Amino acid sequence: MKTISTIPPSLLSQLLKKNMLLKSLPALLLGTLLYSLPAFSQVTNPRTLPQEWGEYGIGDPYILKFRGKYYLYCSTRDDQAGVKCWSSWDLATWSYEGLCVAGTVTISQGAYAPEVIYWNGKFYMYTSPAGNGHYILSADSPTGPFTVQTGNLGHSIDGSVFTDDNGQMYFTNAGGSGIQGAAMSGPLSIGTGNTLSGTSLHGWTEGSTIFKRNGVYYITYTGNHVFSRGYRVNYATATAPLGSYTSGADNPILLNTEGAFFGLGHSGAVIGPDLDTWFIAYHNLLGPSTIVGPNRKLNIDPMGFNGSKLLVYGPTNWTQPSPALPTFYDRFDRTAIGSSWTNINGGNWGIYNQELMWQDNKATLQWYRQVTTATAAANYTAEFNMKEMSRGGNDARFGAVFSYIDENTFGSALLSSFNNTLETDIKVNGASIGVNSIPLPAGWDYQKWHVIRVEKEGATFRIYVDGMLKSTRTANITAAGKIGVTTYNDHADFGYTAFSNRVNGSGVFSFNKPIPGTIPAVHYNEGGEGVGYHDLTNENTGGKYRLDKVDIRDCEEGGENIGWNQTGEWYQYNVNVQSTGAYHLGLRYATTFTSCKVRVYCDGADVSGIVAIPATGAWSAWRTAVLKNLNLPAGNHSIRLETVEGEFDFSILKFESGTTTLPNGSDNFDSGSFSGLWNYDNGDFSISSGRAVINGFGKRAMGNAGWTDYTVEADVQCPSGGNGGLIFRVRNPAAGEFGTSNAVSSDYLQGYYAGIEAGGIVLGKQNYNWTTLAYKAQALSAGQSYKLRAVLNGANIKIYLNDMITPVIDYTDPAPIISGKAGIRAHAADMSFDNFLISSGTGMTLVFVK
């Protein structure tokens, strides 16, 4: 048995530094805490594992959890055969398990994206050899050996299987116009597929995974080409496994194109060792292999949820906290049951092979139990792995107990192999709320391992069998209780058993969230009044999301936000800053108050001064205030957001890299070559007669991604077809494949675009797609050069054409892109550019209140 301390790592570190811990804690507690320290170890993306494929690494990673342990599979290098497997107890330290599919299995050569599910005692692998259809293999162990069970079932690459709560399985795979999805009649049969609405990345889309949380179906998917720096992951949600799906508003959830960390994609999702936090596994691209195919590395980052909105706390490629472990867990890796369990009513219990606990007394009709000595919090998640060896009669039962106070107050989730049912009940002070008997899938094999999961949140108990939600019960047990396992007239084995004082996503509340990155306002630290927050009301006025005094309501933009926020209140967030330097904070807020002021602290030091934020016009009118260049130190710290004056609601804190360097840069192209200031280029640009020319698609950019407010201009020749112009506040520019520019590549950036065409001037926003923000119809002459200027000041963008006094477009973006580089872009156009210039002036005075 292992019990993990719930003291936050930042506080634990302070206590150890001051030698307070050793002086003040009893020896027994000290031993527990010292054992807990590995839970606060660190990991760094990308990961390097033993025995990776040489010059190919780990691509298309997939992680399966079975009996508390994680198993990792990845694509096989095209010139090799066999499928490799690794295992881990904590998602941090991995051991190589060897080939789970032997190299002698013909269809394993170049086995793309193998994924494994566990169903009723068997492990099923789905893989596409070098993209040539799909085969299904099976094994009795997650480490194999897997053997081929089907012929070629067709379907494109990247097959993935999702099992719904009713046991119905679904198969998804890659497609040219979106993810393909099909119902399955069983684990060895795939139906006819159709494109899932809402899952296209405007071209080839692959690497899908479906999972379900709180009744919402999530699908993650990747596009468009593995060799693109702009390979990225989006998500969408639906009310049914095959859709239709609605794309997430904050896509992409994984993207990074510049520097050494790029080409992020082909993800899978798994619940972490704390039983609560979801993690996303994905690869990054190192570049083309010198042997064959792409060379890739493994990455794992936590995910968070706010309502049905999903975000990744990443992507990260700097040191992060290791995934948290459960508060209590037992692998039974010893020879005796020991003192961490309390026996109730006797029975014949023992430990087998240092891997499981058993009870085999069927002679006396009595409920036998083993209950933990450790007590869970009032809200928790628990996991129980079990199987039946033999029943003593038709009334035999085995299963789990939870929220155990005594024999008069506890919950139970019992399996009946005779009735093929799950039976749930909760007793409170000796009174049962009633047995709920739920049928399990036909042919359910109780002599194989199955897992019962219990989530307790308030008075609600959600009970799952093998990941399928089977029972939701309500009972008034507010006190902390224990967990345990039980039998009646049955011989049963019990494996990995654990509980975590985390439930429904609370595992991310106090962990150190990465900066740069996005933090939902409602993911403030735990600890209560004066620790995680200071709130002047006596209750959660909105009654949403969390069970403390912070006022939370449903947000018009999805999820929940902190509301009724008033002068003097503050909220604290643990963070992990990538490197020392300047960071912009985009605060998403709404208020009708004409005088609101806010301040940001890092570890108690003021890093922003007092900053005024204007009224948005309504409590439903959301805007973004940018607090520029907050100087933050590298590593783990605490950020505090304080309301200095007024009242406002806020939903998101988005941190981006900043810079104190003033925007500047130019190129008149007279030298016959491009200036060295250009730090991104894509497309067939060249210089002719002192102008930058291009015929087709392309973009170039210069400057610093931390630039916010500036002016950019150029002399732009109006094309006869297509359009061209300026790009600004540009981040994550890329091309579709190997730097090749094409129609898809044209939208491969995050930023703004102001362009001209024969019919007028257009302003739009690009996020690997296109959204028109404003258009000014105006007859322009093909071949004529026009002075095009963009002036950026906060959320306001002014576009000028020749006349530098009166803008042709004056637009204020309610959800502005905060910062980025500037450059030029052509879309299906034959055209030229001259006298490109970036300057720090915006023609407006900025006022900061100190």
Side-chain angles (χ1 to χ4, degrees):
M1 181 276 293
K2 308 296 188 290
T3 302
I4 301 302
S5 166
T6 56
I7 292 180
S10 56
L11 176 58
L12 181 61
S13 174
Q14 294 173 25
L15 292 174
L16 288 172
K17 287 178 182 177
K18 296 178 180 178
N19 203 29
M20 293 168 58
L21 190 65
L22 300 178
K23 294 178 180 178
S24 61
L25 294 179
L28 179 60
L29 179 57
L30 175 61
T32 300
L33 287 171
L34 292 178
Y35 184 86
S36 301
L37 287 175
F40 306 134
S41 62
Q42 296 178 317
V43 291
T44 304
N45 288 329
R47 318 286 180 91
T48 297
L49 273 55
Q51 301 297 315
E52 294 181 0
W53 292 108
E55 272 296 305
Y56 195 79
I58 293 179
D60 311 321
Y62 180 80
I63 298 176
L64 166 76
K65 183 181 181 183
F66 177 67
R67 292 181 60 191
K69 199 170 190 178
Y70 297 93
Y71 296 87
L72 168 69
Y73 311 87
C74 70
S75 285
T76 300
R77 201 174 73 194
D78 293 70
D79 64 341
Q80 298 293 308
V83 175
K84 294 190 173 186
C85 177
W86 295 260
S87 67
S88 173
W89 283 105
D90 56 11
L91 293 180
T93 302
W94 293 89
S95 300
Y96 181 56
E97 296 285 354
L99 292 177
C100 62
V101 179
T104 55
V105 177
T106 305
I107 64 100
S108 70
Q109 179 163 341
Y112 286 179
E115 295 199 3
V116 177
I117 67 166
Y118 176 76
W119 178 256
N120 203 22
K122 281 284 187 181
F123 296 87
Y124 296 92
M125 176 182 288
Y126 304 81
T127 188
S128 179
N132 296 309
H134 267 88
Y135 293 81
I136 305 175
L137 301 83
S138 72
D140 294 325
S141 164
T143 59
F146 284 86
T147 57
V148 179
Q149 299 299 310
T150 69
N152 192 332
L153 300 179
H155 300 276
S156 185
I157 62 172
D158 296 352
S160 183
V161 174
F162 165 73
T163 304
D164 208 350
D165 294 333
N166 60 1
Q168 174 64 56
M169 295 180 181
Y170 299 89
F171 183 85
T172 57
N173 59 273
S177 56
I179 296 299
Q180 304 289 302
M184 304 172 67
S185 58
L188 294 173
S189 177
I190 303 172
T192 302
N194 295 292
T195 301
L196 303 185
S197 172
T199 64
S200 173
L201 282 172
H202 310 291
W204 182 256
T205 308
E206 60 187 23
S208 59
T209 294
I210 295 177
F211 64 95
K212 187 177 184 181
R213 182 181 182 275
N214 290 348
V216 177
Y217 297 88
Y218 293 81
I219 186 168
T220 58
Y221 47 99
T222 297
N224 296 101
H225 198 286
V226 68
F227 278 117
S228 171
R229 283 177 171 261
Y231 203 56
R232 63 206 181 279
V233 177
N234 277 22
Y235 85 96
T237 59
T239 57
L242 299 182
S244 58
Y245 279 89
T246 300
S247 179
D250 300 319
N251 282 324
I253 55 173
L254 283 175
L255 172 67
N256 198 73
T257 71
E258 298 192 277
F261 189 57
F262 55 84
L264 315 181
H266 196 114
S267 65
V270 68
I271 296 176
D274 71 351
L275 312 182
D276 178 58
T277 304
W278 283 85
F279 285 80
I280 188 168
Y282 59 98
H283 69 241
N284 69 290
L285 178 66
L286 298 180
S289 168
T290 59
I291 301 173
V292 62
N295 193 1
R296 297 165 291 185
K297 302 292 285 185
L298 170 69
N299 304 270
I300 303 173
D301 280 316
M303 296 191 290
F305 299 86
N306 178 11
S308 62
K309 296 175 71 174
L310 179 156
L311 78 152
V312 174
Y313 277 115
T316 68
N317 64 336
W318 70 98
T319 301
Q320 303 295 317
S322 291
L325 298 179
T327 310
F328 164 93
Y329 64 93
D330 198 341
R331 302 171 189 161
F332 303 106
D333 48 355
R334 56 190 182 278
T335 58
I337 294 175
S339 59
S340 54
W341 293 86
T342 298
N343 177 260
I344 307 293
N345 299 331
N348 185 33
W349 297 85
I351 298 289
Y352 172 76
N353 200 34
Q354 299 185 39
E355 63 171 312
L356 60 85
M357 178 169 65
W358 50 266
Q359 195 294 123
D360 68 354
N361 188 336
K362 298 178 288 184
T364 304
L365 298 183
Q366 173 67 52
W367 285 106
Y368 300 127
R369 314 191 203 282
Q370 291 284 351
V371 175
T372 61
T373 55
T375 301
N379 297 297
Y380 61 87
T381 303
E383 178 180 311
F384 313 83
N385 289 265
M386 62 191 68
K387 65 177 179 177
E388 186 176 67
M389 299 301 291
S390 62
R391 62 177 185 245
N394 296 342
D395 58 353
R397 303 287 189 276
F398 67 107
V401 294
F402 47 89
S403 290
Y404 184 92
I405 308 298
D406 53 34
E407 283 293 283
N408 290 314
T409 302
F410 66 92
S412 61
L414 308 173
L415 298 176
S416 167
S417 59
F418 178 77
N419 294 321
N420 195 32
T421 56
L422 166 72
E423 297 173 358
T424 64
D425 189 16
I426 300 174
K427 289 171 61 177
V428 180
N429 297 324
S432 166
I433 67 170
V435 175
N436 187 1
S437 182
I438 306 99
L440 294 176
W444 208 241
D445 189 345
Y446 292 83
Q447 293 189 328
K448 305 298 184 183
W449 286 103
H450 298 286
V451 58
I452 290 177
R453 172 184 172 90
V454 178
E455 298 171 355
K456 180 184 182 293
E457 189 173 21
T460 301
F461 296 79
R462 295 180 291 271
I463 302 166
Y464 302 74
V465 176
D466 289 2
M468 299 176 288
L469 178 60
K470 290 297 182 182
S471 181
T472 301
R473 309 303 304 269
T474 301
N476 187 27
I477 300 181
T478 57
K482 303 177 180 182
I483 68 168
V485 294
T486 188
T487 69
Y488 182 88
N489 198 16
D490 218 337
H491 174 190
D493 291 347
F494 300 95
Y496 180 82
T497 303
F499 71 75
S500 170
N501 294 330
R502 304 283 182 228
V503 66
N504 202 18
S506 68
V508 302
F509 291 165
S510 292
F511 100 107
N512 291 85
K513 303 163 183 68
I515 290 179
T518 298
I519 304 173
V522 293
H523 286 186
Y524 55 87
N525 288 358
E526 295 165 302
E529 171 63 37
V531 178
Y533 61 86
H534 173 51
D535 191 282
L536 297 175
T537 59
N538 292 321
E539 60 182 1
N540 180 344
T541 302
K544 300 290 185 177
Y545 197 66
R546 296 179 65 168
L547 303 177
D548 50 35
K549 296 200 306 178
V550 174
D551 305 317
I552 297 176
R553 69 175 178 90
D554 290 332
C555 181
E556 291 82 2
E557 297 187 315
E560 282 83 33
N561 63 264
I562 291 180
W564 299 276
N565 185 33
Q566 56 185 303
T567 301
E569 295 185 338
W570 53 259
Y571 309 91
Q572 191 130 314
Y573 304 86
N574 290 336
V575 297
N576 179 3
V577 182
Q578 183 175 21
S579 58
T580 298
Y583 293 87
H584 304 313
L585 167 58
L587 177 67
R588 193 73 175 153
Y589 77 103
T591 183
T592 60
F593 281 59
T594 56
S595 181
C596 281
K597 297 174 185 176
V598 66
R599 176 163 45 194
V600 177
Y601 298 86
C602 180
D603 297 339
D606 183 349
V607 293
S608 69
I610 298 174
V611 179
I613 56 176
T616 64
W619 293 106
S620 58
W622 291 88
R623 300 292 184 267
T624 300
V626 179
L627 284 66
K628 301 176 187 176
N629 292 323
L630 310 184
N631 190 30
L632 302 179
N636 293 333
H637 302 279
S638 289
I639 293 290
R640 177 180 292 184
L641 181 74
E642 177 194 12
T643 305
V644 177
E645 182 180 325
E647 295 185 19
F648 62 92
D649 294 359
F650 72 107
S651 61
I652 289 173
L653 298 87
K654 182 177 183 179
F655 290 88
E656 291 185 354
S657 58
T659 181
T660 56
T661 302
L662 291 176
N664 70 93
S666 64
D667 195 350
N668 61 15
F669 312 110
D670 288 345
S671 68
S673 60
F674 288 101
S675 164
L677 295 176
W678 297 98
N679 49 28
Y680 175 81
D681 68 273
N682 162 241
D684 295 326
F685 283 96
S686 62
I687 295 178
S688 176
S689 302
R691 298 179 70 91
V693 298
I694 186 172
N695 185 2
F697 301 90
K699 52 188 178 288
R700 301 181 70 90
M702 68 168 63
N704 191 299
W707 288 349
T708 55
D709 297 336
Y710 54 85
T711 296
V712 56
E713 63 184 54
D715 296 334
V716 181
Q717 183 189 59
C718 181
S720 58
N723 57 68
L726 303 171
I727 52 177
F728 38 93
R729 289 187 181 163
V730 173
R731 286 180 180 254
N732 291 311
E737 176 189 357
F738 285 125
T740 302
S741 187
N742 53 33
V744 172
S745 301
S746 189
D747 289 333
Y748 269 40
L749 64 95
Q750 294 176 303
Y752 293 103
Y753 168 69
I756 62 174
E757 56 192 25
I761 305 98
V762 63
L763 172 66
K765 183 186 287 188
Q766 297 187 266
N767 184 25
Y768 282 69
N769 55 21
W770 171 258
T771 302
T772 300
L773 301 179
Y775 189 85
K776 171 68 173 178
Q778 184 173 329
L780 303 179
S781 300
Q784 181 175 330
S785 186
Y786 295 85
K787 174 71 73 176
L788 182 63
R789 174 182 290 175
V791 179
L792 321 176
N793 193 290
N796 181 256
I797 302 170
K798 290 181 172 64
I799 306 300
Y800 299 83
L801 191 72
N802 281 350
D803 177 0
M804 298 294 113
I805 302 300
T806 304
V808 291
I809 293 175
D810 187 340
Y811 181 82
T812 298
D813 190 351
I817 295 170
I818 294 173
S819 62
K821 306 177 182 183
I824 55 179
R825 171 183 181 263
H827 180 84
D830 185 359
M831 61 183 305
S832 65
F833 301 83
D834 201 2
N835 298 318
F836 179 80
L837 174 66
I838 304 170
S839 60
S840 59
T842 64
M844 297 182 68
T845 301
L846 300 181
V847 178
F848 295 92
V849 181
K850 294 294 184 183

